[in-house]
Amino acid sequence: SFAKEKLMMKEYSDISNFSAPHALIFGNNDQKQLEKKDIIHNKAENVLVIMVESLSLEMTSIRNTDEKSFKIIEKMSGNSIIFDSYRTPFPGTSRSFISANCGTLPGTAQETITNYMPDFKCSSIAEKFNSAGYETGFFASSMFTYDNLNNSGFAGKYKVFKDFLSLKDKYGKGGKFYSYQVKDSDTASEAYDFMFRTVENGGKFFTFMFLYSTHYPYDSPLTTNELKGSVENYRKSQEYVSGVIEELVGKMEKSGFLDNTAVVITADH
């Protein structure tokens, strides 16, 4: 199918000698976007990666509508690059995190390497930013014990690592249906505080934030018990997460460090 669509494979390298995910596959339109040098933000010193659990349905290859529930992406895209032909080779939460953080995907699509190698280590992106003098922070709304991700090599390289287990005492459980998550807005607050403190102290940050509400059964402050797991709650969870990101970006702008921060929004699925 890749050959049929005439997709091109590119390898990224050398951002502090880090090879970002090993097989990024782009279409022709993406190549044209990359050639628009004027929209590349060269002044960025900080990096914020926001991984959303599930991309909104209308932004996937199986559906294309004018109804946009993830409005923040539409709002920010005017001065950005959208990789609209991106493919993920192995969809799956733990595999997504390993490939995004390690630039490689050992093991198989059916089995995550951390299941049979709990101490799996890699030369992670956090390690590269650490060596470049950055403060590195990882923030997740969900619990990261599945597939032993909390013990994996990439997790241990972040100077600050906070998931549900370390956030629940401060914020409490944030889900109606799923007990092991804090609200995405609380996770974003923790990430913002980390970034703000770093900038105030004259440092630079690499922040990785994972927002979970768009995972089945779509548990967010906007969803209802009556519609558990419904398409309607799926869209409401998208709207909620979009609002969380928009509020976070607004706080960064007011604090004066958005303009020198590269913001990357991607998705697990």
Side-chain angles (χ1 to χ4, degrees), residues 226-246:
E226 293 77 14
L227 298 173
K228 178 181 177 182
S230 66
V231 174
E232 178 65 21
N233 272 355
Y234 176 78
R235 291 203 172 278
K236 286 184 177 180
S237 70
Q238 297 288 338
E239 292 172 7
Y240 168 68
V241 171
S242 179
V244 168
I245 296 174
E246 184 164 13

Side-chain angles (χ1 to χ4, degrees), residues 10-12 18-24 86 99-104 125:
K10 282 186 170 294
E11 291 185 1
Y12 279 171
F18 171 73
S19 233
H22 70 299
L24 293 178
Y86 178 83
S99 61
N101 280 271
C102 296
T104 187
I125 190 170

Side-chain angles (χ1 to χ4, degrees), residues 26-30 33 59 61 81-87:
F26 305 114
N28 292 330
N29 187 51
D30 294 330
Q33 293 245 36
M59 291 182 175
S61 59
I81 299 174
I82 301 177
F83 297 101
D84 57 8
S85 298
Y86 178 83
R87 300 290 189 274

Side-chain angles (χ1 to χ4, degrees), residues 11 29 51 77 85 146 169 186 204 207 209 215-216 229 250 267:
E11 291 185 1
N29 187 51
M51 181 178 280
S77 64
S85 298
Y146 57 86
D169 290 340
D186 295 331
K204 297 181 291 185
T207 303
M209 182 176 71
H215 190 290
Y216 181 89

